[in-house]
Amino acid sequence: MDIPALTLFLILALAFANGANDVSKSIATLVGGGITDYRTAILWGSLWTTVGAGASAFLTGAMIHTFSHGLIHPGVIVPPTMALAVLLGSMAWVLFASRTGLPVSTTHALTGSIVGTGLTAFGGEGLVWSAIGQKIVLPLLLSPLLAFTASFVLHSLVRLLAARWEGACLCVMPASRALVAIDAHGGTRTLFQSSRFGQPVMAVPAQCDQAGLQGLVVGLDTIHWISSGLTSFARGTNDAPKIVAMLLLGSAVTSWSSIAMQVLAYAGVAAAMGWGSYLGGARVTELLAEKVTRMNHTEGLSANLTTSSLVLLSGTLGLPVSTTHVSSSAIIGIGLLKGLACVRWTTVRDMLLAWIVTLPVSALLSMLAFLLLHRMSGA
């Protein structure tokens, strides 16, 4: 059995499953807020997920250490089949959840699989329980509460901004080398003008055309698109290192043999996450966009800003929060601001149940996979 090759294949398979389940967390607000259709939103999220996953090679080294070495005591001999079992257990659960349209956490699945396989391979004494509690369990438990709180605060600010900007926009005018504000009544005001800008290269959008201007419009919808892309980028930077770290778990690949290998690993994971997002992201996106609470574009923008800010911050600090928990909690929080009746509690119940069972189910699946691989290897 070629363990390194099989490990790499399963890493790409898990990245694909992650993309199928997690792209929804950044683009559901675009669809739910009526900004665009499913296919365009999924394409947008897939693109920025891929970019974020690639960029994580330079941004999140602490995450790699946590998931590859930080949860197992130094000196403990890790079987080479452990990474395979972890990948099989987590991938099976995330793929199942994606097929059934349930948003689950890849971070939770990996954590459950590492703990389950570790208990089977070398007992509880081989695991660093303090690190599991402080670096994984605590951030995962606190992230929904932080998302609730942040969504309440951010939505109040975004709503005030939207009330002033509704129907208004900014127009970037290369031909006139100017930045012009257009109010809701079509009135214009020059904010900036220079003689140093280049030649015009942009088409004429409808809003500028109605005001007699030629340039690129930037309004609240544009900001929503940007926030969605930023959330996808943040998700990619948060999840890719956890998956890549499985290459360094155990003795399949003990360390990076070269920079080229590291680049190829991240590039492969990024591509697999992107393809998974594009090909399999519709089911979970539909649930979050339509079956939790109805959103307008202001509410969707608030949820995306909450998710992107929390996930980016945690990623740079090496804290593996769940994008699933943050995004879903932000969307639920936005619904609660409109009243209890505005949230579909049956959907929330199903989501919470999926969150609760992710740890034990992925642990059980990885245990079974480890025992099977152990027997097949003849060890």
Side-chain angles (χ1 to χ4, degrees):
M1 183 166 51
D2 189 343
I3 291 179
L6 186 55
T7 301
L8 180 59
F9 172 78
L10 290 176
I11 280 174
L12 296 179
L14 177 59
F16 184 94
N18 171 271
N21 195 274
D22 276 23
V23 69
S24 57
K25 287 82 181 202
S26 58
I27 61 170
T29 60
L30 286 175
V31 180
I35 305 299
T36 189
D37 58 78
Y38 278 98
R39 185 48 56 193
T40 304
I42 289 172
L43 179 61
W44 179 253
S46 301
L47 171 65
W48 285 105
T49 292
T50 305
V51 173
S56 67
F58 310 98
L59 300 175
T60 52
M63 201 86 73
I64 283 277
H65 176 76
T66 296
F67 276 82
S68 60
H69 304 297
L71 307 181
I72 300 172
H73 280 294
V76 172
I77 299 176
V78 179
T81 53
M82 180 172 178
L84 296 179
V86 169
L87 289 165
L88 283 169
S90 54
M91 180 191 65
W93 173 244
V94 175
L95 277 178
F96 172 80
S98 300
R99 290 292 298 172
T100 54
L102 288 173
V104 297
S105 168
T106 303
T107 306
H108 255 170
L110 279 172
T111 303
S113 294
I114 291 172
V115 171
T117 310
L119 289 172
T120 307
F122 38 73
E125 294 181 357
L127 296 170
V128 185
W129 293 105
S130 59
I132 293 172
Q134 295 172 11
K135 295 184 178 181
I136 295 182
V137 176
L138 186 60
L140 288 174
L141 290 176
L142 290 179
S143 56
L145 298 176
L146 290 174
F148 271 123
T149 305
S151 65
F152 292 158
V153 175
L154 282 176
H155 184 57
S156 299
L157 297 175
V158 172
R159 188 166 50 189
L160 288 174
L161 179 65
R164 297 185 60 183
W165 275 27
E166 193 68 49
C169 62
L170 298 176
C171 188
V172 182
M173 301 173 58
S176 302
R177 304 176 181 88
L179 177 65
V180 177
I182 308 172
D183 62 31
H185 305 291
T188 62
R189 182 164 60 95
T190 301
L191 300 178
F192 179 81
Q193 191 165 22
S194 172
S195 60
R196 298 180 180 274
F197 286 179
Q199 295 300 312
V201 294
M202 300 178 186
V204 183
Q207 293 95 323
C208 280
D209 191 35
Q210 291 171 2
L213 304 177
Q214 295 184 2
L216 175 68
V217 169
V218 179
L220 281 179
D221 285 0
T222 309
I223 297 174
H224 196 160
W225 278 101
I226 294 171
S227 74
S228 175
L230 182 61
T231 304
S232 296
F233 180 89
R235 189 190 77 74
T237 61
N238 190 268
D239 285 352
K242 305 166 190 173
I243 299 173
V244 172
M246 294 302 103
L247 271 176
L248 303 179
L249 182 66
S251 56
V253 178
T254 55
S255 62
W256 298 116
S257 59
S258 66
I259 296 297
M261 179 184 174
Q262 187 173 355
V263 170
L264 286 174
Y266 274 98
V269 167
M273 287 175 68
W275 274 112
S277 300
Y278 183 72
L279 296 177
R283 288 180 182 268
V284 183
T285 301
E286 182 180 359
L287 182 140
L288 289 177
E290 300 182 25
K291 298 180 181 180
V292 176
T293 185
R294 291 290 182 180
M295 293 175 285
N296 58 36
H297 70 90
T298 303
E299 293 161 348
L301 174 59
S302 302
N304 268 350
L305 289 175
T306 299
T307 304
S308 59
S309 57
L310 288 178
V311 174
L312 271 177
L313 177 62
S314 64
T316 54
L317 295 176
L319 300 175
V321 302
S322 166
T323 310
T324 300
H325 294 183
V326 172
S327 176
S328 302
S329 298
I331 291 173
I332 294 170
I334 293 298
L336 286 175
L337 286 173
K338 298 181 289 184
L340 291 173
C342 293
V343 178
R344 296 184 180 178
W345 293 107
T346 55
T347 301
V348 174
R349 178 202 62 200
D350 293 342
M351 289 168 53
L352 291 175
L353 180 62
W355 293 1
I356 292 170
V357 303
T358 292
L359 278 169
V361 169
S362 57
L364 178 61
L365 289 172
S366 65
M367 285 178 175
L368 295 174
F370 179 77
L371 292 173
L372 179 61
L373 291 168
H374 191 68
R375 178 171 297 182
M376 288 174 59
S377 66

